[in-house]
Amino acid sequence: MQNNELKIKVISSLEKVFADQELNAMGWNRGSMLLNEVYSFQIAYSWSGFMLKGVEVSVNSELSPWITVRKVGLVPSEMPCYADHDDNILRSTPGLYPDPLMPLDTGGLTFLPEQWRSLWFTIQPDCKVAPGSYPITITFNSSTGEELGIAEFQLEIIDAILSKQELIHTQWFHTDCLATWYKVDIFSEEHWEIVKKYINTAVKHGINMILTPLFTPPLDTVVGGERPTVQLVDVVKSGDTYNFSFEKLNRWVNMCLSVGAEYFELSHLFTQWGAKHAPKIMATENGEYKRIFGWDTDAAGEEYKNFLGQFLPELITFINENNLKAKCYFHVSDEPSAQHLDSYKSASDIIKEHVKDFPVIDALSDYAFYETGMVKTPIPATNHIEP
């Protein structure tokens, strides 16, 4: 399975291969999966000769059309853990940590001397393969065609279907970050296409609820600061009257449903850590597009109450007309604490009459909010689950 210069070991996807330490992982040469599952394993390798470029990796199997091969990249970690950590960690020293899965370069792999690295194999047949046992042979060849090493894995595909996930699973999805990273205009056609790809990937990895930015989510934003505007509801202000367009929101909903998302986590209607202010809300007034609510808005003030009193009934009409009632969840404010009981109650009371038929969910660390009934569906961080 190896020559004098290349060490190869097939290992579980749960192992971490560090470049600077000897590999002690148990061998993992066979596995099983259901017809519609996704299976992954790794091949770790270490090269003891001079640096070797252009190494090709080939896969020989009936399953080849459904196999993706990527290399496990390394990322620098200056602070891998806090000082009060327990012993359930792999290591605590700063260094290079295996994490991102990177596409294989067209020029092949580069073998670096005396380092353990790994390749990540993903098998996703999507019910298109008959049940049975399938060998997978992986060969490493030099750029001149010399065989450097071979590894084998045996995968059994079981004649059964994994039932549909019943949990509702969300991870916050920030569309503004995608626009910033890819340097595209928010809600340009390029942006919509990028967002769709990311939501599609999220769904493939088990996420079925998507954070939906009715207005720019007031999350992880320094007090007085702003995130880039990502607002799906267009607003026109005429004095104390507001008109709303849900064209972008309708496109968002249809896009999410088209890639398999099922639930919509409607963005928070009040600021994080206390519900004292309104989120950033943009509107067109007298032909000018400008911010009408934000950190300078008293969440309990009459102006914002009036806005919500006009907005929420129209939003709920949109939800009902599009048969989304069983798919929508509302937020008040993220992570209120004990000193925010009064402001959170005030905010909750403002929207309660409008969204009483919908679940309201909020991240929560303080048990008092649940005890008093203000938050009926709390989402606690793991370090607050016990109370």
Side-chain angles (χ1 to χ4, degrees):
M1 301 297 290
Q2 63 186 54
N3 63 16
N4 293 328
E5 295 181 307
L6 179 63
K7 298 177 185 176
I8 302 174
K9 193 170 188 178
V10 185
I11 59 174
S12 164
S13 60
L14 299 179
E15 298 286 357
K16 292 289 187 183
V17 179
F18 290 93
D20 60 347
Q21 84 181 31
E22 190 57 39
L23 182 67
N24 296 314
M26 181 180 69
W28 193 267
N29 295 91
R30 59 191 312 111
S32 63
M33 64 181 292
L34 303 185
L35 290 166
N36 61 334
E37 280 191 293
V38 179
Y39 191 89
S40 298
F41 67 89
Q42 296 180 86
I43 291 183
Y45 58 91
S46 177
W47 177 249
S48 59
F50 291 102
M51 181 173 68
L52 185 64
K53 295 184 178 181
V55 176
E56 298 293 336
V57 179
S58 61
V59 179
N60 182 25
S61 175
E62 289 183 64
L63 298 177
S64 290
W66 298 280
I67 296 177
T68 301
V69 186
R70 289 168 287 180
K71 61 183 179 182
V72 180
L74 302 175
V75 293
S77 175
E78 295 184 13
M79 182 186 158
C81 58
Y82 287 98
D84 59 350
H85 65 80
D86 58 25
D87 293 330
N88 298 314
I89 60 173
L90 296 177
R91 61 201 293 183
S92 60
T93 53
L96 296 175
Y97 281 66
D99 188 65
L101 299 181
M102 315 291 288
L104 295 181
D105 298 329
T106 54
L109 293 174
T110 297
F111 281 175
L112 300 174
E114 309 301 338
Q115 293 188 26
W116 278 100
R117 296 294 183 93
S118 68
L119 297 175
W120 187 280
F121 292 76
T122 303
I123 303 99
Q124 189 171 6
D126 293 326
C127 298
K128 296 172 184 174
V129 173
S133 186
Y134 293 89
I136 302 170
T137 303
I138 300 97
T139 305
F140 293 83
N141 290 308
S142 72
S143 59
T144 59
E146 177 190 357
E147 183 180 293
L148 302 173
I150 296 178
E152 291 188 355
F153 188 84
Q154 194 77 22
L155 182 64
E156 181 186 3
I157 298 183
I158 299 169
D159 190 11
I161 298 290
L162 182 68
S163 58
K164 183 183 176 182
Q165 172 183 300
E166 294 183 2
L167 291 173
I168 297 176
H169 179 197
T170 182
Q171 300 282 345
W172 281 349
F173 187 89
H174 291 296
T175 50
D176 60 323
C177 296
L178 293 175
T180 300
W181 177 257
Y182 288 102
K183 297 180 174 60
V184 297
D185 293 333
I186 289 174
F187 296 137
S188 64
E189 289 305 313
E190 285 180 295
H191 188 223
W192 278 106
E193 189 60 34
I194 291 166
V195 169
K196 183 177 181 180
K197 288 178 179 178
Y198 271 80
I199 293 177
N200 184 44
T201 297
V203 169
K204 286 183 177 179
H205 288 80
I207 291 173
N208 55 13
M209 173 187 270
I210 303 296
L211 178 63
T212 298
L214 301 173
F215 306 111
T216 303
L219 301 170
D220 301 324
T221 307
V222 65
V223 174
E226 290 188 359
R227 296 183 73 125
T229 300
V230 280
Q231 179 173 318
L232 290 171
V233 177
D234 290 322
V235 182
V236 176
K237 184 177 187 298
S238 302
D240 293 332
T241 302
Y242 301 91
N243 292 296
F244 306 97
S245 170
F246 298 100
E247 184 178 346
K248 289 193 190 79
L249 179 60
N250 187 59
R251 179 174 179 176
W252 174 276
V253 167
N254 290 331
M255 174 188 67
C256 291
L257 293 174
S258 73
V259 296
E262 299 179 69
Y263 302 97
F264 299 92
E265 177 187 7
L266 305 179
S267 58
H268 303 67
L269 294 170
F270 299 86
T271 51
Q272 197 172 24
W273 307 308
K276 292 184 177 182
H277 306 279
K280 179 173 77 168
I281 297 178
M282 304 293 291
T284 300
E285 183 178 22
N286 297 323
E288 180 187 359
Y289 187 64
K290 63 182 183 180
R291 182 175 60 79
I292 58 170
F293 297 114
W295 287 109
D296 53 352
T297 304
D298 178 3
E302 289 303 318
E303 188 177 8
Y304 191 52
K305 283 184 185 179
N306 173 49
F307 173 84
L308 291 176
Q310 295 181 53
F311 168 64
L312 288 173
E314 289 205 34
L315 173 64
I316 290 167
T317 297
F318 168 85
I319 289 171
N320 290 332
E321 287 178 349
N322 289 276
N323 299 314
L324 298 172
K325 185 174 180 180
K327 299 176 180 291
C328 290
Y329 289 68
F330 281 82
H331 278 296
V332 178
S333 172
D334 183 61
E335 285 289 2
S337 54
Q339 67 265 35
H340 304 135
L341 274 167
D342 290 341
S343 58
Y344 186 93
K345 183 179 186 304
S346 173
S348 180
D349 288 345
I350 290 171
I351 72 168
K352 192 179 295 181
E353 63 175 295
H354 300 291
V355 303
K356 59 181 179 294
D357 295 331
F358 293 84
V360 177
I361 59 176
D362 274 324
L364 195 63
S365 298
D366 195 305
Y367 184 75
F369 288 84
Y370 178 71
E371 192 174 33
T372 59
M374 273 191 280
V375 181
K376 291 184 170 58
T377 310
I379 305 173
T382 51
N383 58 329
H384 293 281
I385 283 177
E386 188 174 349

